[in-house]
Amino acid sequence: MNAEQQYIDLFSQTEAMICQHSAEVMNAPRATAFADFERLGFPTRKQEKYKYTDVSKFFEPDYGLNLNRLDIPVNPYEVFKCDVPNMSTSLYFVVNDAFYNKALPASHLPEGVIFGSLKEMAEKQPELVKRYYGKLADTSKDGVTAFNTAFAQDGVLLYVPKNVIVERPIQLVNILRGDVNFLVNRRVLIVLEDGAQARMLVCDHAMDAVNFLATQVIEVFVGENAVFDLYELEETHTSTVRISNMYVRQEANSNVLLNGMTLHNGTSRNTTEVLLAGEGAEINLCGMAIADKNQHVDNNTSIDHAVPNCTSNELFKYVLDDQSVGAFAGLVLVRPDAQHTNSQQTNRNLCATREARMYTQPQLEIYADDVKCSHGATVGQLDENALFYMRQRGIPEREARLLLMFAFVNEVIDTIRLDALKDRLHLLVEKRFRGELNKCQGCAICK
């Protein structure tokens, strides 16, 4: 039986159960998404967009799914102390693919701001969720997005009304928990109305040493003059596969910072698609990956300059050791009417061993003549002259290598617009390079 058929059979047998434990708004596009999945199947290397990662093979094993929404025996607020020092956050959890609402923290959110279970909010405010859910994530174009939309039953909603500023950063911790090999389908819907501002930190952790497969679809709507920061930090383990598709739409004069950092993983495939739909919009799209052993990190991005006078800055850096594999493919599209576009794309990569592999594919498609666009990519090793210089001054070779690698990725960390989080990342990256377990301090799960 191929990977697709087992899930086609599963959906046919359990569709009523899936819908029963979800909300009508999430159920509405489910049949169409399933039909698209039947037609598209899981992506393979034969598709240009997925040529560096054979996604289909990860769905072949037999995984458990919690379609009946049984309670998972864990209270993350008691055992998972994941606060970033000196950064007071509003802390929430998703356990596998269900929002944990049994012991919510005292609310620090301004009036009108919603953060909670997508399923519950879709039941309480169906018109709000219906206006946005599934509108960016086109199931007809991507098999993973179609699969996720067909099977997702819950998720997270962040809604910030017009001109409301959320001062305190929101922290969402995704916990993978299972006694058997497990598949989860996470969904995130983020809406900032005109003039709104918010910052969000999402951390991925795996609690048990089983094989996890996580699909994730994130839709982000950012209104006129709105400002939004989204930081994603992946710290799981080598038996975890994460396939994440993020879709972003920005209106006029909006400002968005997306920064995805992979510190520890098994296989990660991240797709980010940004549409600059209003004049004066600015996107800062950044990423960093540190990989060793047989870890695999693949980032595929596209930025669509659909209107004039928009700015995009893209920076991705990888440090690869042992037999790890990295991939980056970034497309910047400047449409015919998008005059006065300013776009810069940079991908820099270090391979610490001859066995490490990096594939990079920067792309520019420009159909306007009055633009300022550039892109560049490099793959290399540590500067031997710099190593020699440092060793001549008494720095041991291992320490010198660590210092050079840390300096290399520091540029990505410095894009973070939260000082406490920036300091925390400096510490985590240093620990990662030193080979120490990259677990949160004070976390009972990680001890």
Side-chain angles (χ1 to χ4, degrees):
M1 180 186 298
N2 61 32
E4 288 83 3
Q5 192 59 50
Q6 64 174 323
Y7 291 106
I8 291 171
D9 294 344
L10 178 65
F11 185 86
S12 300
Q13 296 163 8
T14 61
E15 182 178 3
M17 179 193 300
I18 293 171
C19 293
Q20 178 185 350
H21 294 285
S22 190
E24 178 55 36
V25 173
M26 298 184 71
N27 292 336
R30 209 178 290 279
T32 300
F34 177 66
D36 287 334
F37 171 67
E38 285 188 293
R39 175 176 56 85
L40 294 169
F42 293 117
T44 68
R45 288 182 185 271
K46 294 179 181 179
Q47 297 171 238
E48 176 70 19
K49 188 176 175 181
Y50 285 90
K51 69 179 182 179
Y52 300 120
T53 305
D54 185 3
V55 167
S56 62
K57 73 176 184 180
F58 296 113
F59 288 87
E60 292 173 359
D62 186 20
Y63 294 96
L65 290 90
N66 188 12
L67 300 181
N68 208 25
R69 314 313 284 173
L70 301 177
D71 285 340
I72 305 297
V74 61
N75 182 348
Y77 286 99
E78 292 181 355
V79 298
F80 208 95
K81 309 302 180 185
C82 199
D83 276 329
V84 177
N86 304 316
M87 187 176 84
S88 179
T89 65
S90 300
L91 180 62
Y92 301 89
F93 292 89
V94 165
V95 179
N96 291 335
D97 49 18
F99 184 80
Y100 188 85
N101 58 6
K102 292 183 173 58
L104 293 174
S107 177
H108 300 286
L109 300 176
E111 184 177 355
V113 174
I114 299 172
F115 192 91
S117 163
L118 181 58
K119 170 183 177 292
E120 290 185 6
M121 295 305 165
E123 292 171 340
K124 294 177 181 178
Q125 301 195 39
E127 291 305 316
L128 171 63
V129 177
K130 183 179 179 181
R131 194 181 313 152
Y132 298 101
Y133 182 76
K135 297 301 186 289
L136 293 181
D138 189 346
T139 61
S140 69
K141 295 181 179 179
D142 186 273
V144 173
T145 296
F147 176 85
N148 178 281
T149 305
F151 281 93
Q153 295 169 282
D154 194 9
V156 172
L157 169 67
L158 168 61
Y159 172 76
V160 185
K162 186 176 181 179
N163 295 326
V164 173
I165 298 176
V166 183
E167 297 285 355
R168 182 187 293 247
I170 296 170
Q171 185 176 9
L172 176 66
V173 180
N174 292 318
I175 298 177
L176 295 173
R177 171 78 175 92
D179 298 323
V180 298
N181 296 341
F182 213 75
L183 167 62
V184 305
N185 296 290
R186 296 193 296 251
R187 197 79 185 207
V188 181
L189 177 60
I190 298 169
V191 180
L192 274 72
E193 298 285 7
D194 296 351
Q197 296 184 27
R199 295 167 295 179
M200 186 171 172
L201 167 64
V202 181
C203 305
D204 284 8
H205 296 280
M207 185 173 170
D208 299 292
V210 300
N211 295 322
F212 289 108
L213 172 56
T215 75
Q216 176 175 270
V217 172
I218 303 175
E219 296 177 283
V220 183
F221 296 83
V222 184
E224 291 188 15
N225 300 300
V227 180
F228 181 58
D229 292 7
L230 177 60
Y231 306 101
E232 290 191 281
L233 179 61
E234 186 178 8
E235 294 183 279
T236 54
H237 59 54
T238 55
S239 297
T240 300
V241 177
R242 163 190 153 118
I243 306 168
S244 177
N245 292 347
M246 182 189 304
Y247 305 93
V248 182
R249 179 186 173 95
Q250 293 183 231
E251 303 301 337
N253 300 308
S254 59
N255 186 292
V256 172
L257 170 61
L258 306 175
N259 194 327
M261 295 157 283
T262 302
L263 291 189
H264 204 274
N265 73 319
T267 296
S268 299
R269 159 66 196 215
N270 303 310
T271 300
T272 305
E273 298 185 3
V274 179
L275 172 63
L276 300 175
E279 290 195 40
E282 178 177 347
I283 176 68
N284 294 280
L285 177 55
C286 308
M288 175 185 71
I290 302 171
D292 54 17
K293 305 180 183 66
N294 293 302
Q295 294 168 341
H296 182 106
V297 184
D298 179 358
N299 284 289
N300 186 288
T301 71
S302 70
I303 299 175
D304 185 349
H305 286 261
V307 296
N309 302 305
C310 291
T311 301
S312 64
N313 299 296
E314 192 168 3
L315 174 65
F316 278 78
K317 289 195 171 187
Y318 291 65
V319 177
L320 306 174
D321 205 347
D322 300 330
Q323 294 82 42
S324 60
V325 176
F328 171 80
L331 169 65
V332 176
L333 171 62
V334 182
R335 295 188 181 273
D337 294 331
Q339 303 293 351
H340 307 116
T341 287
N342 189 340
S343 176
Q344 181 175 342
Q345 181 190 87
T346 304
N347 175 225
R348 301 278 185 259
N349 312 285
L350 279 180
C351 291
T353 66
R354 292 185 178 275
E355 291 76 26
R357 293 288 181 268
M358 180 68 203
Y359 304 93
T360 180
Q361 186 182 15
Q363 304 168 76
L364 284 177
E365 290 188 23
I366 303 174
Y367 301 100
D369 52 15
D370 188 5
V371 300
K372 183 180 179 181
C373 299
S374 66
H375 73 284
T378 60
V379 180
Q381 296 180 320
L382 290 175
D383 188 336
E384 292 297 330
N385 290 329
L387 277 174
F388 178 78
Y389 178 87
M390 297 170 76
R391 293 185 67 189
Q392 286 291 97
R393 279 146 184 80
I395 301 176
E397 181 178 359
R398 181 175 182 274
E399 191 69 20
R401 288 181 175 275
L402 290 173
L403 289 171
L404 288 175
M405 288 190 293
F406 184 77
F408 178 76
V409 300
N410 194 51
E411 186 180 2
V412 177
I413 299 174
D414 282 345
T415 65
I416 295 173
R417 298 192 284 210
L418 284 168
D419 289 340
L421 179 59
K422 188 185 301 185
D423 293 341
R424 178 65 170 162
L425 260 297
H426 283 305
L427 176 63
L428 287 177
V429 168
E430 180 182 353
K431 284 187 171 186
R432 180 69 173 93
F433 281 137
R434 293 185 184 280
E436 300 173 12
L437 289 177
N438 56 303
K439 301 299 183 180
C440 297
Q441 293 176 344
C443 171
I445 287 178
C446 302
K447 290 182 179 177

